[in-house]
Amino acid sequence: MSTTGATADPLAALGSLPGVADSVESVRKAVDRVYGHRVMRRRSNEITSEAALRGARGSAALSGADWALEEVRRRSDFSGDDEARTVGAALRLTAEAGQLLSIWRQSPLRVLARLHLVAAADKAEQVGRPRQEGEQVDDEPLVGLPLPGAAEAHGRLDGLAELIIAGGSAPALVTAAVVHGELLALRPFTSHNGLVARTAERIVLVGSGLDPKSVCAAEVGHAELGRDAYLRALGGYVSGTPEGVAAWITHCGRAVELGARESTAVCEALQRGAA
């Protein structure tokens, strides 16, 4: 994992990188705004459901299945082709994430295995476990990023799990961004790594208490910021430089802010009776 030095709490240390504290504060204000909306006090379940749908759509778009929201809403069969299966996997992961919150802090590797099982149930011999040496990764192209070997991926995955289990004082945004970035950098499974990484980011944001009702879907923001910006920011994380890691964290923060803005707009539409 990329850090700026060995400390007792390396995730917390990332919070001191240039611009990260400002991003953490900006995210907190954006989340507070949507939670303070009067519609959230009466119809939060509807906002949660809509955020889940929009988040799944956004995550699928980043994995190459860029469907219109209404098409995702209308469809009931997601088995037809690769794009449909990607959208279906994103929807299943979003639904599953809420069931895994209580397990995450005690057993993050178990949660990640479950997420992969849910996403890739059609590949029974390779699901629910990290890839082995020699196995190919069938995933969305992450341009310019080398694929770590299986042994390295296993070791870094174990290290990430240890940090999560140990806890610490890092802001939720920092932890979520590192989990997301590390999973994309490692691509520990043979498929669906992007979908799993973005779902894990959501689990951290919700489970930390930053977004307990899961209404600030970062996946919406990542899709809005665009694939090119996503990959550039990820490249910064993989570089391991303080500037690159800070840029990735702030990029993830902007995505959460945009997700919060989207749900605020849904609140406004419901208030007008036009949703």
Side-chain angles (χ1 to χ4, degrees), residues 225-242:
L225 290 167
R227 184 179 183 83
D228 289 345
Y230 186 68
L231 294 178
R232 281 196 303 272
L234 178 63
Y237 176 83
V238 172
S239 76
T241 65

Side-chain angles (χ1 to χ4, degrees), residues 69-137:
L69 180 63
E70 290 310 313
E71 177 67 8
V72 179
R73 199 189 305 277
R74 180 188 67 80
R75 281 285 192 104
S76 58
D77 180 8
F78 296 96
S79 62
D81 54 27
D82 286 345
E83 285 197 5
R85 286 189 287 273
T86 296
V87 175
L91 289 166
R92 292 193 302 274
L93 286 172
T94 300
E96 185 73 12
Q99 310 302 314
L100 300 173
L101 293 170
S102 63
I103 306 171
W104 173 255
R105 284 292 297 272
Q106 288 74 41
S107 185
L109 295 183
R110 178 182 166 194
V111 169
L112 293 174
R114 174 63 184 172
L115 291 176
H116 188 246
L117 178 66
V118 169
D122 59 327
K123 298 179 179 179
E125 72 281 4
Q126 296 176 331
V127 302
R129 61 160 175 81
R131 58 186 167 86
Q132 300 172 359
E133 292 292 352
E135 290 182 334
Q136 299 298 307
V137 175

Side-chain angles (χ1 to χ4, degrees), residues 194-220:
L195 295 177
V196 169
R198 291 183 288 274
T199 305
E201 179 185 44
R202 174 183 282 251
I203 287 173
V204 174
L205 293 170
V206 175
S208 67
L210 176 65
D211 179 23
K213 294 184 182 294
S214 193
V215 297
C216 303
E219 305 97 315
V220 169

